Amino acid sequence: MFGWEFPPSSSGGLGTACYGLTRSLTRLGDDITFVLPRPCPNPSFLQIVSPYVKTKSRVKVVKVDSPITPYMTAEEYNEFVTSSGAKKKYGNLYGKDLFAEVRRFASYAREIALDHEHDVIHAHDWLTYLAGIEAKKASGKPLIAHVHATEFDRTGGNSLNSFVYEIERKGMHAADLVITVSKYTKELVMKHYGVPEHKIRIVHNGALPHQYHFHGYERRAKTVLFLGRLTLQKGPDYFLRAAQRVSELDPEARFVIAGSGDMEPRLQDQAKKLGIADKVEFTGFLRDKKTQEAFRIASLYVMPSVSEPFGITALESLLNGTPVIVSRQSGVAEVISHALKVDFWDITELANKIVNVLQHPELAENLAENGHLQARAQTWNGAAEKCHELYAEVQPW
Amino acid sequence: MVDVCFYFQVHQPYRLGQYSVFDTDSQKHYFHTAKNREVLKRVARKSYLPTNKILLGLLKKHPEFKISYSISGVALEQFEEYAPQVLQSFQELNDTGQVEMLSETYYHSLAFLYSKKEFDDQVKLHRDKIRKLFKQRPRVFRNTELIYTTELAHHVQGLGYKGILAEGWDPILGWRSPNFVYRPAGANISLLLKNYRLSDDIAFRFSNQGWKEWPLSCEKYASWVNSINGNGEIVNLFMDYETFGEHQWAQTGIFNFLQKLPEELLNHQDNSFLTPSEVIKKHKPVDEVHVDQPLSWADTDRDISAWLGNSMQHKAAHLLFELEHDVRKLKSKKLLDTWRKLQTSDHLYYMCTKWFGDGDVHTYFSPYDSPYDAFITFMNVLNDFKRRLHLAPMAPIQ
C-alpha cells in the first residue's frame, strides 16, 4: 500500500484515513506493507517501509513536523522548498519540487515491489499513483487507485494543475479498480477523468469512535465552529458571510475559525469588512487533542465545503456530540442523514439553519444524539471489509 | 355470519412553503399553494377519481354493498378549491345512500391532547361541513390517525356520538378478537376496532413481493374473511383511501382487486356489508375495553410517537397550542384559520426522527429533506405568526 502521510506525522484526512483503514484491514487478516516517502514510527499493527531508510527492522525515526502536505498546491510546494528555512531544517529530504518528489517516490517503488511479496497494490491519491503504476509494472499485481480527493476538489475546477490532473488520470486508468470515498467523488471521477462506471467502487470513510465520548448535548455559549484548512475548497469565506447574516438576528452568536491556510489574512480582512471581527476568533492550526476540544466546546460545526470528497471532520464532530451542518457538495452528506444540509453557495439558508440550531436546543439535541449514533456506525471496519472484498475481486483467478 | 365494514380515510394537509428565519416580517405566505394544488391534483388523478369511479359502479351494481368515509375538512376545502370534480364524485357516491360519512376534527389535528375546547370547535366545524356538502349528520366519530383513549370515547359520547373507531391492537385486547363490537370502559357508546391484519394486507402488503402471500388474489383474501365466520361478527377494514392508486400504484393490480372484491365477498352467502352506524345498531357490545395511553394506527408502535415522539415535536406542539388564548382573543377569522391549519398533524409527523434515514414511510411522505428541516420551517412560521398576533389590532369588544 502506498501512502503519503501517516499519523502522527500527518496533517489531514489522508493520513487519518490510511491509519483507520490499515488498522481495520489487518484485523481482517490482511498483511500490509505500507510505503511512505518519509520515515514514520511503526504502529503495532503495520510494517511501514520508507525508501529513504535502509534498515527495515529498526526504523529510524526522523521527526518531521513538515508543512508539506498532500493538500499543498504545486506552487505552494515550490515556494516552501526554495525557502531557506526549509532547506536548513530538512536538508535534502525533499526534492526540488513536489513533482520531482513524486517521481522520486515512484522510482523507489519498483525495488520495493520486488522486495516485498504482495498480491494487491493499493495506492492512495495522486501523489502515490506513479509509484503504484511502477509497482504494477514490476510485480504484475493488480492495482487499486483509491481517490480521496482530486485536483477538481482542491481547485474548484479553476486553474487546474495539468501535471497533477494528468497523474490522476493516468493512475485511474492504469488501475484495475478505482475506489472513491463517495458517490459524489464517483460522479466527479466519471465526469472529469472519463473513468468507466464499471471500474469504480464506493468505499465511504469511517471514524474511530472509541476515542470519543458523548454524554448528552448541553452548551452554554453560542459558538459556531469552522474547522479545516483555510482554502477555497473548504469554503471559509461562505462561513464568514453566513456568520454576518446570523449576527443580524442573534447578537450572542460567536464564531470560531480553526485551521490555517493561504486564505487566513484575507479572511481576517473579510471579517473586519463584514463588521463582525469582534465575533470571530481565528485559532490557527489545531493539533488533534485541541481539535477534539474545539468540537466539544462548539454548539454547532459547519462544514461549508465547495467540494468535499468525504469530510471526516463531520463524523468527528458528531462523535464528540456536536451537531453538524454540511454542504450538499460533500461525501459525508451521503452517509449521515441526521445532519442539516445546504448548498455551499446558499448563505442565507446556511444562516437560517445556524440561527435555528442556536435558538432551539431541541433541534441541536436531536441532531446531536441521532447524528452521534449514526457516526458511530460509520466505522473503518465497514470500509475495510469492502476493501477486503475488492482485493479478492481483483485477483486474476 | 360476517359483516364487512369498510372505512376509508381521506386527508390532505396544507403543506408549508419554504420559510426562512429571514422571511420573518415579510408578507410571504406560509402555505405552498402551488405544491398543495399539484399534490392534490396528482392524488386525485392517480387515486381519488379512479377509485371513486370503481366504487360508484360497485355501489350501483350491488345495492347491498356499503362503505364509509372520513374526509378531513382541510381535504374538502382543497377539493373545492383545486379539484371540484373530486368533491362532486364523492357527492355522487354519497347520493347512492350506501355511504356513511364519519366525524373528525376539521383540521385533522391533535387538539384533543391539548385543548378540549379547540377539539369541540373543530369537530363542530367538520360536522357542519359534512352536513352542508353531504346532507348527513355524522353519528360515529374517528379521531386523527385513529388516536384513541377511553377518555376521548367518554368525551365524544358527551357530544352525542353513538360510536367511535380505534385500532384493534392486541395489547389492549389481550386474548379477545377485534371482530366484535366493544364498549369503551364505563361508557355506553360502541367501539369499532380495526382488524389490522386484514386491513394492512391491502394497505401495506398488497404489492410487497417479499410477502409470502404475494400476489394477493381476491379469492384468497375473501377466503380469509370467510374464515372469520363462526368466531367473529364483523370485520372492520380501515385504511387510508390513498391506498388505492397512490400508496399501491395502479400497476400493482390494486384497482382490479378492488373491482372484484365485493362480489367475491358476496359469493359467500353469510357475508354482508354494513356501515359503522349499521354495525352499531345490529351488534351489541360484547365486552369493555380500556385504553389508558393514546393508541393510534401508525407504525409498529401504535402509539403517538410519530407525532409527539421527540423534543422538537413536543416543543412545536406546545408553543402552537400555547397561542390559543391570544388567537381567540383577537376574533380574527383569518388568524384563527391559519393557527388551525398549523395544527394539522402532518406538520408534526414530518418532524418524526424514528427510523429516519432507513428510507421508511415517513421519508416518503415528507415534503422536507429531513425532520430537522420540517422543524425549522415550522418554527420560523410559528415565530412569524406570533409576531403577527401581537401586531394585529384588538377586536372590538362586543
Side-chain angles (χ1 to χ4, degrees), chain A residues 128-287:
Chain A
T128 74
Y129 290 166
L130 292 182
I133 292 169
E134 287 306 312
K136 181 179 158 94
K137 275 187 204 157
S139 70
K141 298 294 182 185
L143 169 65
I144 294 178
H146 198 135
V147 186
H148 296 263
T150 70
E151 187 66 0
F152 279 87
D153 302 305
R154 286 182 291 264
T155 62
N158 304 314
S159 60
L160 281 184
N161 184 302
S162 60
F163 184 78
V164 175
Y165 173 78
E166 269 315 310
I167 293 180
E168 286 177 332
R169 213 184 61 84
K170 203 170 155 188
M172 293 178 208
H173 284 271
D176 299 88
L177 268 188
V178 174
I179 293 176
T180 63
V181 294
S182 60
K183 184 166 171 281
Y184 174 79
T185 300
K186 174 185 169 176
E187 280 159 12
L188 190 148
V189 156
M190 285 166 60
K191 185 174 168 202
H192 294 294
Y193 294 85
V195 180
E197 185 169 11
H198 69 84
K199 248 178 74 170
I200 308 174
R201 304 288 181 276
I202 298 169
V203 177
H204 287 111
N205 286 338
L208 304 164
H210 67 282
Q211 302 170 351
Y212 308 98
H213 303 280
F214 178 47
H215 307 289
Y217 181 84
E218 194 189 323
R219 300 289 188 278
R220 268 154 302 194
K222 295 177 175 181
T223 316
V224 188
L225 175 69
F226 172 94
L227 191 144
R229 279 173 298 110
L230 305 185
T231 59
L232 280 175
Q233 185 198 345
K234 301 291 177 181
D237 43 336
Y238 294 99
F239 179 79
L240 273 183
R241 284 158 68 191
Q244 187 209 23
R245 300 295 322 264
V246 171
S247 300
E248 289 170 19
L249 296 181
D250 193 339
E252 285 170 34
R254 293 291 176 275
F255 305 88
V256 174
I257 295 190
S260 59
D262 57 356
M263 280 175 80
E264 187 160 352
R266 213 181 98 188
L267 291 168
Q268 285 175 340
D269 197 44
Q270 191 188 358
K272 275 186 211 127
K273 281 186 182 138
L274 293 169
I276 51 168
D278 59 327
K279 295 172 189 282
V280 184
E281 183 194 347
F282 288 84
T283 68
F285 179 77
L286 299 181
R287 287 262 158 227

Side-chain angles (χ1 to χ4, degrees), chain A residues 245-246 248-249 328 337-340 348-349 351-353 355-356 359-363 365-367 370 374, chain B residues 18-22 310-312 315 319 353 355-358 369-373 375-377 379-380 383:
Chain A
R245 300 295 322 264
V246 171
E248 289 170 19
L249 296 181
R328 289 207 177 88
S337 51
H338 294 283
L340 292 172
T348 308
E349 183 54 19
N352 174 40
K353 290 188 159 133
V355 168
N356 269 278
Q359 218 168 53
H360 305 297
E362 296 83 0
L363 175 60
E365 263 164 39
N366 278 280
L367 280 165
N370 297 321
Q374 213 170 19
Chain B
Q18 284 280 336
Y19 203 91
S20 162
V21 71
F22 295 101
N310 65 44
S311 55
M312 297 188 293
K315 182 174 190 180
L319 289 180
T353 47
W355 312 299
F356 173 65
D358 304 343
D369 284 350
S370 75
Y372 309 102
D373 291 283
F375 176 78
I376 289 173
T377 302
M379 293 308 287
N380 287 342
N383 281 331

Side-chain angles (χ1 to χ4, degrees), chain B residues 235-254:
Chain B
V235 184
N236 293 318
L237 301 177
F238 300 170
M239 62 197 77
D240 280 331
Y241 202 39
E242 297 82 12
T243 295
F244 305 98
E246 173 74 359
H247 304 173
Q248 309 290 344
W249 293 355
Q251 300 90 292
T252 65
I254 192 75

Side-chain angles (χ1 to χ4, degrees), chain B residues 1-5 179 224-236 265 268-274 282-283:
Chain B
M1 183 91 202
V2 179
D3 292 321
V4 178
C5 176
N179 303 326
W224 294 342
V225 172
N226 296 340
S227 72
I228 289 168
N229 268 295
N231 48 42
E233 296 171 340
I234 49 168
V235 184
N236 293 318
L265 288 170
H268 196 295
Q269 55 176 6
D270 287 338
N271 293 343
S272 67
F273 292 97
L274 293 181
K282 184 170 164 189
H283 298 283

Side-chain angles (χ1 to χ4, degrees), chain B residues 178-374:
Chain B
N179 303 326
F180 293 91
V181 174
Y182 290 86
R183 184 172 52 243
N188 50 30
I189 62 172
S190 295
L191 175 60
L192 270 59
L193 297 171
K194 174 181 153 192
N195 183 315
Y196 70 85
R197 287 188 184 86
L198 286 170
S199 300
D200 295 350
D201 284 340
I202 300 176
F204 299 137
R205 289 181 282 274
F206 184 79
S207 63
N208 179 359
Q209 302 199 10
W211 181 34
K212 67 180 189 333
E213 305 294 350
W214 185 89
L216 180 60
S217 69
C218 262
E219 293 77 12
K220 197 195 286 176
Y221 190 80
S223 76
W224 294 342
V225 172
N226 296 340
S227 72
I228 289 168
N229 268 295
N231 48 42
E233 296 171 340
I234 49 168
V235 184
N236 293 318
L237 301 177
F238 300 170
M239 62 197 77
D240 280 331
Y241 202 39
E242 297 82 12
T243 295
F244 305 98
E246 173 74 359
H247 304 173
Q248 309 290 344
W249 293 355
Q251 300 90 292
T252 65
I254 192 75
F255 288 124
N256 295 334
F257 180 85
L258 180 64
Q259 177 78 55
K260 284 169 61 189
L261 187 60
E263 199 165 324
E264 195 62 47
L265 288 170
L266 287 169
N267 274 343
H268 196 295
Q269 55 176 6
D270 287 338
N271 293 343
S272 67
F273 292 97
L274 293 181
T275 69
S277 286
E278 291 172 340
V279 168
I280 290 165
K281 244 179 236 153
K282 184 170 164 189
H283 298 283
K284 292 292 154 240
V286 295
D287 199 359
E288 274 197 357
V289 170
H290 179 52
V291 178
D292 190 23
Q293 292 304 313
L295 175 77
S296 82
W297 71 356
D299 302 337
T300 48
D301 299 327
R302 302 298 205 284
D303 57 16
I304 53 169
S305 60
W307 304 274
L308 293 167
N310 65 44
S311 55
M312 297 188 293
Q313 294 169 311
H314 279 283
K315 182 174 190 180
H318 177 78
L319 289 180
L320 178 67
F321 281 99
E322 208 179 55
L323 299 176
E324 178 172 1
H325 176 74
D326 290 354
V327 175
R328 288 184 183 276
K329 206 171 61 186
L330 290 169
K331 300 198 186 308
S332 152
K333 255 188 154 171
K334 192 163 169 7
L335 287 172
L336 189 62
D337 178 59
T338 301
W339 178 62
R340 286 173 168 166
K341 278 178 181 155
L342 293 175
Q343 287 181 37
T344 299
S345 65
D346 304 63
H347 300 304
L348 293 170
Y349 189 77
Y350 300 145
M351 300 175 201
C352 176
T353 47
K354 286 193 298 177
W355 312 299
F356 173 65
D358 304 343
D360 72 314
V361 62
H362 293 253
T363 319
Y364 177 76
F365 290 111
S366 175
Y368 299 97
D369 284 350
S370 75
Y372 309 102
D373 291 283

